[in-house]
Every structure is written in structure tokens, then in C-alpha cells.
Amino acid sequence: DAKTTQPPSMDCAEGRAANLPCNHSTISGNEYVYWYRQIHSQGPQYIIHGLKNNETNEMASLIITEDRKSSTLILPHATLRDTAVYYCIALANAGGTSYGKLTFGQGTILTVHP
Amino acid sequence: DTGVSQDPRHKITKRGQNVTFRCDPISEHNRLYWYRQTLGQGPEFLTYFQNEAQLEKSRLLSDRFSAERPKGSFSTLEIQRTEQGDSAMYLCASSNHRVPFFGPGTRLTVL
């Protein structure tokens, strides 16, 4: 699976949009971009994933560049409860012959402040 | 709640003792994974089951570690002769095809 690079930390004001970048310049055509977050002492929580089209769900939006070498996770209205470590992971199609083994990096520590 | 559950949530043991953790995946998820997470690090893959078959084991899984999923439903992870370096959060995840979902984890402290 392709290596991903994220900034170690970011700050965001409560109520503002949080934009978390991720570089995955060596991503291959069958690799999806997955985002998880982990709040202190809890298990990782799935947020969203996408292949090449932008995706949106009730938690966040995922914007993937046309060349697929980078992506941005957007939390549209950050709250204090969004303070967490956010992980961007490239993963080959978890169906078929791949089986969904996630390789976590260090992630981005997002701190939302009042 | 129909998410992944893990038991116990916390375990404190003395060095040299054996411990066993249980994971109950989301119903009908045929894939089950174990991860380990130490302080300040991201989770690291330990092993993977598809139904009852253990298909991959990480080099992190020393011979003191054994995992089972006897009926393709719940799984157990046993650590024999625990060492202080085994202190970590042990995470279980399950999936059907595309999205692995994680449980709350079992925090192990070896004294």
C-alpha cells in the first residue's frame, strides 16, 4: 500500500472548517484513500473513504485531487469533540483479493480550541 | 449496539502470567483483524482471519502470542508469559468487504 504523509499537528477554531491534508504521491490505481480518527484511549473510528471522486457523508467531506496524489479531509464545522488523531491510509480495494489490512502512520493531531 | 465489542476493556497482570482477550465482530463480518497500539504510535497489524482461517501473521506476533477464531465468529488473542513490553492497547476490527470497523480495544498493563 502507498505511503501517506500528513502534518504532525494542526489547530482549528471551534465552528470553523478543519482541512486536513494528506499526500499519497505513489498511490496506485486500485488504492482507496481511507480516513480514520482516534480520540484518546478509544478505538479508531472510520470517517470516510474514496477512490477518485469527492465524497461526502454526515461526518466529513473528502476531496481527492485529479492526479490522486493528495487529498483533503474537511470537517465543515469543527467542534471540541473533533479533537483527535486523524489517520489517512491508502488501501487497495478491500474486496476481491485484498483483505483490508490497514497500515497506520503517525497521523495528524487535530486540536479544536474554543 | 451492533459494533465490534472487546472484553475485557482493561487488564492488569504481573509479568509471566498468561492473558486472553476476546473480540466479537460485527455480525456476518467474515474478516477479523487484531492490531496492537503502543503509546504515541499508530496501530500496528498483528494478524488477520477470514472466517476461521488465520491467513496472515505479522512478525510482531511472537511465539508467545496465539490467536484463534474457531467458528468464524468471535476471536481470542492469548499472550503467554507476558512481558512488560507487551503493555499496549490491543485492538480488534472486522469487515465484510470495504471498511474495517474497530472495537474499543483492550488496554493491557504488565507490571
Side-chain angles (χ1 to χ4, degrees):
Chain A
D1 298 322
K3 179 178 168 59
T4 61
T5 304
Q6 300 177 252
S9 64
M10 294 183 65
D11 290 326
C12 179
E14 189 177 21
R16 304 297 294 269
N19 298 289
L20 291 89
C22 179
N23 287 321
H24 31 80
S25 58
T26 61
I27 196 167
S28 60
N30 68 338
E31 287 184 308
Y32 286 70
V33 179
Y34 282 72
W35 284 84
Y36 284 79
R37 74 179 182 184
Q38 190 172 27
I39 296 169
H40 183 63
S41 294
Q42 297 181 20
Q45 178 189 22
Y46 166 77
I47 301 173
I48 199 168
H49 75 284
L51 183 62
K52 54 184 177 181
N53 296 323
N54 297 337
E55 302 287 345
T56 295
N57 63 19
E58 65 278 6
M59 289 183 68
S61 295
L62 174 60
I63 308 298
I64 303 174
T65 58
E66 192 170 343
D67 62 8
R68 301 209 329 117
K69 293 184 177 182
S70 65
S71 60
T72 301
L73 179 75
I74 301 173
L75 308 178
H77 305 287
T79 71
L80 299 179
R81 287 183 291 183
D82 291 322
T83 293
V85 181
Y86 286 77
Y87 296 100
C88 169
I89 302 167
L91 178 66
N93 187 338
T97 58
S98 176
Y99 60 81
K101 180 176 78 173
L102 296 164
T103 302
F104 288 83
Q106 296 289 84
T108 296
I109 301 172
L110 175 68
T111 303
V112 180
H113 50 84
Chain B
D1 184 37
T2 57
V4 179
S5 61
Q6 294 188 243
D7 183 71
R9 297 290 308 278
H10 303 273
K11 178 71 177 178
I12 299 174
T13 191
K14 293 182 179 179
R15 190 164 48 114
Q17 297 296 304
N18 299 343
V19 294
T20 300
F21 309 140
R22 177 180 170 122
C23 171
D24 285 273
I26 294 171
S27 179
E28 299 181 357
H29 277 191
N30 60 354
R31 297 174 176 175
L32 187 147
Y33 319 80
W34 285 99
Y35 290 79
R36 181 174 71 183
Q37 185 174 26
T38 54
L39 201 62
Q41 302 297 315
E44 297 173 293
F45 170 81
L46 290 179
T47 190
Y48 157 69
F49 290 85
Q50 181 153 333
N51 299 311
E52 66 275 8
Q54 188 175 18
L55 298 185
E56 184 175 344
K57 292 193 292 185
S58 162
R59 287 175 294 176
L60 293 174
L61 214 64
S62 76
D63 56 6
R64 297 185 297 106
F65 288 69
S66 62
E68 294 183 342
R69 194 182 183 197
K71 298 182 180 178
S73 57
F74 73 91
S75 175
T76 58
L77 177 68
E78 181 184 15
I79 309 174
Q80 296 182 327
R81 305 181 303 280
T82 53
E83 302 173 355
Q84 288 185 324
D86 297 330
S87 294
M89 173 82 86
Y90 290 84
L91 294 158
C92 176
S94 71
S95 76
N96 45 13
H97 290 292
R98 293 196 181 277
V99 180
F101 291 95
F102 283 82
T106 295
R107 180 164 297 283
L108 173 66
T109 302
V110 182
L111 302 176

